[in-house]
Amino acid sequence: MCETDPYVCFRGKSGKGEMRMREKSGEQNLVADWVWQVYLTRKLKKHFARVYVRCSEQINVSIPTLYMANHASWWDLYLAMWISRNYLRQDAYFLVNEQETDTYGWLGQEEVLSFDGDSYQQIQEALEHGAEILDGRFGSLWVFGQGEVKHPDFRPLRFLPGLGSLLEKVKHVQVVPVAFYYSMTGPSPEACVQLSAPIVPSTFEQGNRRAWIAACSKELTYHLDMVKEQVISENLGDFECVLAGTMAGDHPWPPVEDWKKQIEQWIQKIKKG
């Protein structure tokens, strides 16, 4: 954390200065948040027929959480953003290689922390900042451990060494495996996202970075394979359809009453602090 609180300092893409991340507070961010959420929801509804989510009851969204996900599609980041805000009701940061963020255009989120994957210095700074986030009031961080998009059936899952470094710094937090899997059986794809039970703390109490990465890879592979089998067998009864797109018969824009209700909820949340 820097002395200019309520800002969090982070070195920007060029490495020649600091990116200053403002904490979310006050009505000044209300409109921007609302516009972004409407844009993001519309974008997802236009692309996906349905988005399914299964979330473990053991996940506690009120404590620091490291979401460790496979990277199966360009859409993973958008889905993670939408799920964090609209399903988990949790503020979160997203650690992403700038080579990917450059392809997204408008992300609309100050919580996206991009870094140059070819710069050792920026990688280390990103990991340090990620650890600070998990130690502070911004207690949730999403990491796509593969570092690049791979087909969901690609095996073995290989996580970058930086994940082990981050786990070493923040092994007191809950680590949640997140499996992204996509199905294309109709005119538009469907997305299945599983947020599994946190990995038990004893996994990180002994061993080393390589052992921790191997344990995370094994755990996430297990859940990803399980989701794959359920998608293939069309057995999604224990998943919740959290978003139905235009190809599923929904209008791309939410009703005005839904907008009003969401704005009122945000205002109440701000007033409560």
Side-chain angles (χ1 to χ4, degrees):
M1 302 290 285
C2 67
E3 297 179 355
T4 55
D5 197 55
Y7 289 91
V8 177
C9 291
F10 181 67
R11 191 167 299 279
K13 295 181 179 180
S14 66
K16 297 180 180 179
E18 287 182 329
M19 179 192 304
R20 307 178 74 196
M21 316 296 292
R22 182 186 292 274
E23 294 182 7
K24 287 194 165 187
S25 61
E27 296 184 4
Q28 59 184 350
N29 289 324
L30 183 61
V31 174
D33 285 347
W34 176 77
V35 170
W36 166 247
Q37 288 302 315
V38 170
Y39 168 81
L40 180 58
T41 300
R42 182 172 183 266
K43 194 174 186 68
L44 292 174
K45 287 168 74 73
K46 184 178 179 181
H47 182 77
F48 290 101
R50 292 176 182 83
V51 175
Y52 295 96
V53 172
R54 178 168 58 194
C55 184
S56 171
E57 295 180 353
Q58 297 181 38
I59 299 174
N60 184 351
V61 297
S62 64
I63 66 175
T65 306
L66 175 64
Y67 293 97
M68 173 197 63
N70 68 306
H71 204 359
S73 167
W74 181 86
W75 290 93
D76 295 340
L77 179 57
Y78 278 141
L79 285 167
M81 289 177 173
W82 192 93
I83 289 170
S84 294
R85 175 59 61 84
N86 298 281
Y87 186 82
L88 297 172
R89 307 290 184 184
Q90 183 181 40
D91 289 333
Y93 279 91
F94 306 87
L95 197 60
V96 186
N97 193 316
E98 71 175 32
Q99 294 176 349
E100 285 198 76
T101 57
D102 288 343
T103 69
Y104 281 93
W106 181 50
L107 278 172
Q109 295 283 289
E110 291 180 327
E111 293 86 351
V112 176
L113 307 181
S114 63
F115 61 92
D116 183 355
D118 295 325
S119 169
Y120 177 80
Q121 180 181 355
Q122 287 200 27
I123 291 174
Q124 293 305 309
E125 289 173 349
L127 293 173
E128 289 289 342
H129 189 61
E132 290 179 5
I133 289 171
L134 290 169
D135 282 332
R137 35 184 314 201
F138 297 105
S140 298
L141 180 69
W142 286 70
V143 176
F144 298 98
Q146 294 167 257
E148 60 181 348
V149 175
K150 292 286 187 181
H151 191 281
D153 294 335
F154 179 84
R155 298 291 184 274
L157 293 180
R158 292 191 177 95
F159 293 144
L160 298 177
L163 177 62
S165 176
L166 186 59
L167 290 172
E168 185 177 51
K169 299 176 188 297
V170 298
K171 53 189 176 184
H172 61 283
V173 305
Q174 63 176 351
V175 179
V176 175
V178 183
F180 286 92
Y181 200 88
Y182 300 89
S183 173
M184 177 66 98
T185 56
S188 292
E190 294 182 340
C192 293
V193 185
Q194 175 169 301
L195 296 94
S196 303
I199 299 176
V200 293
S202 59
T203 303
F204 308 114
E205 289 178 358
Q206 297 180 349
N208 52 44
R209 296 179 183 180
R210 290 185 179 180
W212 297 335
I213 291 177
C216 289
S217 176
K218 181 179 179 180
E219 185 76 9
L220 184 54
T221 298
Y222 168 78
H223 293 291
L224 187 56
D225 288 341
M226 183 169 57
V227 174
K228 172 187 174 180
E229 291 301 320
Q230 290 188 266
V231 170
I232 292 175
S233 63
E234 299 182 348
N235 179 24
L236 299 177
D238 53 350
F239 280 80
E240 179 182 356
C241 181
V242 298
L243 194 66
T246 55
M247 297 303 293
D250 281 16
H251 194 277
W253 290 90
V256 174
E257 292 301 321
D258 288 352
W259 290 359
K260 292 181 179 179
K261 183 178 179 180
Q262 192 170 27
I263 292 176
E264 290 174 357
Q265 291 176 346
W266 288 343
I267 293 176
Q268 290 300 321
K269 181 178 179 181
I270 291 173
K271 289 181 178 179
K272 290 180 181 180

